[in-house]
Structure formats: structure tokens, C-alpha cells
Amino acid sequence: MAAGGCGGVWRRALQRGRGGSCSVSRPWRAVACKAGGGAVPLGLSGVAPWAPVVGLEIHAQITSNSKLFSGSQVQFAAPPNSLVSFFDASLPGTLPAGYQITQQRVPLAVNGSLSYSLCKDNKMSQMVTKTVRIKQIQLEQDSGKSLHDDARSQTLIDLNRAGVGLMEVVMEPDMCCGEEAAAAVRELQLILQTLGSSQAIMAEGQLRVDANISVHHPGEPYGVRTEVKNINSLRFLAKAIDYEIQRQIKELENGGTVLNETRAFDSKLGCTVPMRDKEGKQDYRFMPEPNLPPLILYDAKSLPANVNHQQVVNIDWIHERLPDLPSVKRAKLVELYGILPEHSFTLVNEDGLMDFFEDVVKQTQMKPKKVIGWILSDLLSHLKQHSLTAKESPISSFLLADLLNLLENGDISSSAAKQVFEELWKGEGKTPLEIVKEKQLELIQDQEELEQICQAVIDEREKEVMAIKGGNEKVINKLIGLVRKATRGRANPLLVKQILEKKLSE
């Protein structure tokens, strides 16, 4: 799925088998995200409609070199249990310890919202904006990690993650399919990365999503929900939600019931599998932590006059210093460079692509509207094909700008520029000009030479010449193609057309 929700919906349903396995069933009706409202897919029987409901709980690892209440280092992929203090391990004599600390009762913020965009009918040219309400944001500790070794029938514990600071963002059930959920999470991920609140790298577990999913008939109460835990990929999030929606619909239409349970998404099988039921109300036994002082946030109006400003959190002071958020960046790209809104969407959503684009624009004479075509059609397609980000591109912004300058100045043709791009992608350290000279890709500047080649093509194509003189002017394009073939793409097609038209009118 492309970041931001233009990846479409998966066309195969997987149904739950015995023992937590999955089997492939017949193709199912797609969970279509309607631009103007909630998705209402038909039932598998094609009769009664269903309204899916999706809410999210998102855990983002806050940017910090140490854990929340200990000096232990925070580092991805460190050897198991190598970053654990006495406090993290809950050894006797350490307080508070032995339980998770969370701001569940007094969160940092409540009653917010997040706007996000996605494609209407899978068309990038038709972007729609939706909003999901945010119930609350709170700070809490991460827990340790269990590693299950089925071969030895044992479970190992790694406490490296225990005590790491997390930001939990609780979203209200305002979404209706996997595409919407993935788009909302991607927008939140971009905001967190822009602010520096979290690196939010999902592959490293820095952003994990729990999805609460239910289905019901429109006009009826919400159905029983299931929770799919710890999803660490936007693509898997969309797949897990859409699978779970169809699983529940099938279960209900077959006369069964949906259990209030926790499930996991098996990415290899492409389905959700049960973990534990939640039928009984779980008592988490929340209680105030006596060893921690309250965290109080102030604004300019509520800030006491007699306090040290460096020892309190003033949200107005922070707000004034915030960088441009993704939505503002997109608007500025459209205004500054005259590009389409959907192009600004892609530039911001793809990691490092906006900076790459702006660097190229600064170094080339080509207009931004033409540069964007090379960025999205050529560079991005190559990056996607090789699973790279713009920062990892073998073609630097300087080299691409150099290539575009050659094209803009009329030194090479567009087809030759494509050849040079492919050579640059190999990363052999050559400049565009060196490749042009090595491959003899310069445009033929000698007017007399071009006239001779055009005359030779005219002499060999009597049938086409007669058609053109008979009024079929489109045939001239075939002659232009033959001239370009004879020159190996080194002829300017506009100049060739002028020469041919002049010779054919004589």
C-alpha cells in the first residue's frame, strides 16, 4: 500500500481454520472506503449490508536516549537483556517496580482530532480528506518482550524494552476499513517524525498499532469487537483489518457469534489468529503511583508568575517553535512550485523525497512542474523497485539536476536522458556529461547533417510521402520516428519535424 492510503483493498478473503490456522476462501467483496461516508460492504451472501467500525490504539516510542525511570540506554537490536537496570528488572528493593506505569487516568491531552487524506476510488488525482477523533494521549512504560521457542517448548524473556517511554494515542472508532486506518497512522507517523517526538520506525517496533474492529447492520448497535494486537507495518495493518472485517461478517452470516477476544495478525498466512479471550471484564487494578509527582502542563495564561520558566512545561512556548506539520508542507509545495496537490502528497509521504525534490529544483534550470515528473515517474519508481528511500538513492540530487540541465539546455533528447538515468542508477561514479560523451548521446547540432538524414528517409518512404501530400498529416510522425531511429535518438524531434515539413512542401 502506498503511504497515505492509495493501495486499494485486497481481493482474497482468508477464513479462520482450526487450531489458529487459515485457509483461502473464495474472492470476497472489497471493503470499499467511501469518500463521503462509512464503508458499507455487502454481506458475503450479497444481501444485507454491513457497516464496519475501526478504532486504533497506537504506541509510539518517544525519542530518548534512556528509559523513562532509569538510566538504561535505549537501543534497537541490542543483545537480549543487555540494557536492563536493577529497576527495570524489578529486583527486590527497587520502587516503584513490578508493574507498568501509565497515565491512563490523567492523560496528557484529550478530545483531539487528526485529519488525513486518501484516494477516492484508488485515483491519485481524487484525494479526499477525513478526520478521526483522538480520545486521549498518554505517557506510559513499555513492557518486556516474550520470545517463544516452539522447538524447545520454552519462552524466553528480553527486558531491554522494559521501561522504555511510550506515547499512546487512542483514536475513536471513526474509521471503516484498513485503507483509512493505514492512512491515518501514516499521517500520525509523519507528524511524530516531523516534531522529533518519535522516530516512529515501524520495522524497529517504535510504532505499534492495536486495531479494534467490529461490524453491524446500519441503524443497529455496534457489534462485538475484537482487538488485533501489535501490528508493526502499514501494509499489515490494512490487511489485518480488512481480513478481520470479512471474517466477522462470514461468522455472523453463518449463524455464529463474534467473540470479544484478542487476536494477532499472521503476516505469512495473511489472517488473524486468536490469542486470548476478553469475555470477562479485566481488572487492571489501576492505582496512583505514590513515588511520582504529578506532571502539570501550563499555557501562557495559567503560568504562575513566581516559577522558573525553565522548570515548567509551557505549551504555548512549545507551540510557537513547532516546525511545519505535513499538511502545511503540502500546501506550501503547491503554492511555491505550482505542482498538483496529489504530487505534494507523495513528496511529503515518501521518506526524504520532498527534500530531494527541493534540492534538485535549486540546482536545475528546469521548471518544478517538469522536475516533479522525473522525481515521481523515474526516481520514485526505481526506489520502490529496489525498496530504497530517497536518502539511499544511488543518484544524488546533484547528479539528477545535472542531467536535467543537459536536457533543458537541448544538449540531449528526452530518450537519451532516460538512458543516462539508467546508467547513473548503476552508481559507477560517472557524471551525466561523461555518460553522454561515452555513449555518444549528444543531440546532432549540425543542421546540414540532419537535412541529409531527413532527405534519405523521404527518398526511402515513397508511400508515406504520398499519404502526407494527400492530406494525411499524421503520417509525418512515422517519418520523425525513422529519423530518430537513424540518429539513435540524437535528433531533436521538433527540428526534425520542421525540416521534414519544409522538404515535403517543396
Side-chain angles (χ1 to χ4, degrees), residues 7-22:
V9 196
W10 288 265
R11 300 290 176 180
R12 290 194 304 172
L14 298 171
Q15 65 180 12
R16 173 182 168 186
R18 298 295 180 185
S21 62
C22 304

Side-chain angles (χ1 to χ4, degrees), residues 52-58 132-135 169-178 180-182 184-185 209-215 222 225-229 231 237 241 245:
V53 178
V54 180
L56 302 177
E57 297 173 14
I58 302 162
V132 57
R133 293 169 297 152
I134 296 178
K135 179 181 180 181
V169 181
V170 182
M171 293 183 175
E172 298 283 11
D174 296 339
M175 293 159 283
C176 62
C177 66
E180 287 189 359
V185 173
V209 184
D210 301 338
N212 293 287
I213 305 149
S214 68
V215 298
Y222 284 0
R225 70 179 184 181
T226 59
E227 182 179 29
V228 184
K229 298 282 288 186
I231 306 171
L237 174 64
I241 290 172
I245 288 170

Side-chain angles (χ1 to χ4, degrees), residues 14 19 27 69-70 131 157 194 198 220 255 265 313 339 349 373 378 435 439-440 444:
L14 298 171
F69 300 116
S70 79
T131 300
I157 303 297
T194 299
S198 171
E220 296 182 0
F265 180 67
V313 179
I339 62 176
N349 278 43
D378 297 275
I435 295 172
K439 302 288 184 180
Q440 296 183 342
I444 298 174

Side-chain angles (χ1 to χ4, degrees), residues 374-434:
W374 279 86
I375 294 291
L376 300 184
S377 299
D378 297 275
L379 180 70
L380 185 58
S381 63
H382 278 69
L383 293 174
K384 292 281 189 184
Q385 185 178 351
H386 295 86
S387 300
L388 298 173
T389 66
K391 297 174 183 177
E392 300 167 323
S393 171
I395 302 179
S396 67
S397 59
F398 171 79
L399 287 176
L400 182 56
D402 199 11
L403 169 60
L404 297 185
N405 282 335
L406 291 175
L407 178 59
E408 190 69 10
N409 293 333
D411 297 320
I412 57 175
S413 66
S414 57
S415 60
K418 301 285 186 183
Q419 295 180 54
V420 175
F421 184 92
E422 295 296 336
E423 292 297 318
L424 289 173
W425 186 263
K426 296 177 181 178
E428 297 177 347
K430 299 175 183 177
T431 68
L433 185 57
E434 288 172 342

Side-chain angles (χ1 to χ4, degrees), residues 200-328:
I201 303 172
M202 299 191 78
E204 296 184 4
Q206 296 177 4
L207 190 70
R208 309 191 297 272
V209 184
D210 301 338
N212 293 287
I213 305 149
S214 68
V215 298
H216 66 282
H217 291 300
E220 296 182 0
Y222 284 0
V224 176
R225 70 179 184 181
T226 59
E227 182 179 29
V228 184
K229 298 282 288 186
N230 290 327
I231 306 171
N232 63 352
S233 154
L234 293 177
R235 186 165 60 93
F236 292 163
L237 174 64
K239 281 190 172 184
I241 290 172
D242 287 343
Y243 168 81
E244 185 59 21
I245 288 170
Q246 293 297 329
R247 185 193 70 82
Q248 292 185 20
I249 291 175
K250 183 171 185 179
E251 186 73 31
L252 293 171
E253 291 196 343
N254 287 338
T257 58
V258 174
L259 300 179
N260 181 210
E261 63 182 351
T262 300
R263 300 176 71 88
F265 180 67
D266 188 318
S267 59
K268 294 181 180 178
L269 297 176
C271 65
T272 63
V273 293
M275 294 173 64
R276 60 179 183 271
D277 72 75
K278 302 171 69 172
E279 287 299 323
K281 182 174 175 59
Q282 298 185 13
D283 182 7
Y284 289 102
R285 290 183 279 184
F286 287 112
M287 62 181 179
E289 171 49 63
N291 296 292
L292 291 176
L295 174 62
I296 302 175
L297 306 181
Y298 297 95
D299 58 17
K301 293 182 180 180
S302 63
L303 188 66
N306 58 344
V307 299
N308 186 336
H309 288 210
Q310 295 181 340
Q311 296 180 345
V312 297
V313 179
N314 183 342
I315 58 175
D316 286 337
W317 184 91
I318 295 173
H319 185 268
E320 292 171 359
R321 289 158 178 78
L322 291 179
D324 287 342
L325 295 182
S327 58
V328 177

Side-chain angles (χ1 to χ4, degrees), residues 65-135:
N65 293 326
S66 62
K67 297 184 179 180
L68 210 53
F69 300 116
S70 79
S72 296
Q73 185 181 358
V74 176
Q75 179 185 333
F76 176 68
N81 296 308
S82 63
L83 304 175
V84 185
S85 69
F86 293 149
F87 181 87
D88 302 326
S90 303
L91 294 181
T94 58
L95 291 173
Y99 47 85
Q100 184 187 38
I101 296 175
T102 175
Q103 289 179 310
Q104 191 266 349
R105 285 184 175 174
V106 188
L108 285 173
V110 296
N111 300 328
S113 64
L114 172 70
S115 295
Y116 62 96
S117 298
L118 69 161
C119 300
K120 179 181 178 181
D121 299 328
N122 250 5
K123 297 176 181 178
M124 276 297 295
S125 60
Q126 299 182 30
M127 304 293 295
V128 293
T129 300
K130 295 195 172 188
T131 300
V132 57
R133 293 169 297 152
I134 296 178
K135 179 181 180 181

Side-chain angles (χ1 to χ4, degrees), residues 343 346-358 375-376 379-380 383 390-391:
H343 292 164
T346 303
L347 288 179
V348 173
N349 278 43
E350 296 293 337
D351 187 21
L353 197 61
M354 184 187 77
D355 291 338
F356 193 102
F357 166 75
E358 292 192 307
I375 294 291
L376 300 184
L379 180 70
L380 185 58
L383 293 174
K391 297 174 183 177

